[in-house]
């Protein structure tokens, strides 16, 4: 299966916390960062997820926000530090590639945001991803 989701980072499930309908799944990415995914309990069961399961965390580029540093006082669980490796801007939008330990993320953000944050290759950033926007796949 081929997917249009650009952001696919391998990792290993470290914990599954089931709820009534949803579950949180903690994943240790191959680069050592921790990521939380909030997915349906049905998906957890269908994928057979448990501690030790190899997974691929997937996030659409439109669901990745960028900050110039860690953000306190926010409900977003996933904050991955990295470095901008490339910025491709158009008239209104930009694709910002961010190197993170163990992989690369692409964030689709506005050109205005790139300008306001002063993002260029080499800029340190933090990728912000809501746990509900992380999908998981097994091999």
């Amino acid at each position: 299966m081929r997917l249009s989701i650009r952001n696919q980072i391998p990792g290993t499930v470290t914990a599954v916390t089931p709820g009534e309908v949803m579950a949180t799944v903690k994943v240790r990415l191959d680069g050592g960062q921790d990521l939380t995914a909030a997915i349906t309990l049905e998906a957890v069961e269908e994928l057979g997820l448990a501690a030790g399961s190899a997974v691929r965390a997937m996030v659409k580029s439109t669901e990745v926000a960028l900050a110039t540093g860690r953000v306190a006082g926010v409900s977003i669980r996933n904050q991955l530090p990295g470095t901008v490796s490339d910025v491709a801007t158009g008239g209104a939008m930009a694709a910002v590639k961010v190197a993170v330990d163990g992989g690369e993320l692409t964030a689709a953000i506005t050109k205005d945001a790139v300008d306001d944050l002063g993002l260029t290759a080499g800029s340190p950033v933090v990728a912000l991803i809501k746990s509900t926007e992380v999908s998981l796949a097994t091999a």
Side-chain angles (χ1 to χ4, degrees):
M1 173 188 304
R2 295 168 61 123
L3 298 171
S4 64
I5 298 175
R6 293 188 229 179
N7 299 317
Q8 300 185 28
I9 301 177
T12 304
V13 173
T14 58
V16 177
T17 305
E20 200 64 30
V21 175
M22 300 287 289
T24 57
V25 180
K26 303 270 187 199
V27 176
R28 171 72 42 93
L29 300 177
D30 283 0
Q33 313 93 322
D34 290 318
L35 189 74
T36 300
I39 63 175
T40 66
L41 192 55
E42 181 180 0
V44 169
E45 293 166 357
E46 285 179 3
L47 294 171
L49 298 180
S53 297
V55 294
R56 188 164 290 276
M58 300 184 298
V59 183
K60 290 175 59 176
S61 60
T62 53
E63 301 302 332
V64 178
L66 298 177
T68 56
R70 290 193 68 77
V71 181
V74 66
S75 66
I76 296 174
R77 305 309 329 143
N78 301 306
Q79 298 193 30
L80 303 177
T83 304
V84 173
S85 58
D86 186 55
V87 179
T89 56
M93 296 296 293
V96 180
K97 291 188 179 188
V98 178
V100 297
D101 288 344
E104 183 176 71
L105 293 170
T106 299
I109 62 175
T110 65
K111 181 182 178 303
D112 289 344
V114 169
D115 294 340
D116 289 348
L117 297 174
L119 300 180
T120 60
S123 297
V125 293
V126 176
L128 307 170
I129 307 165
K130 290 179 62 172
S131 60
T132 53
E133 300 305 327
V134 177
S135 296
L136 298 176
T138 57

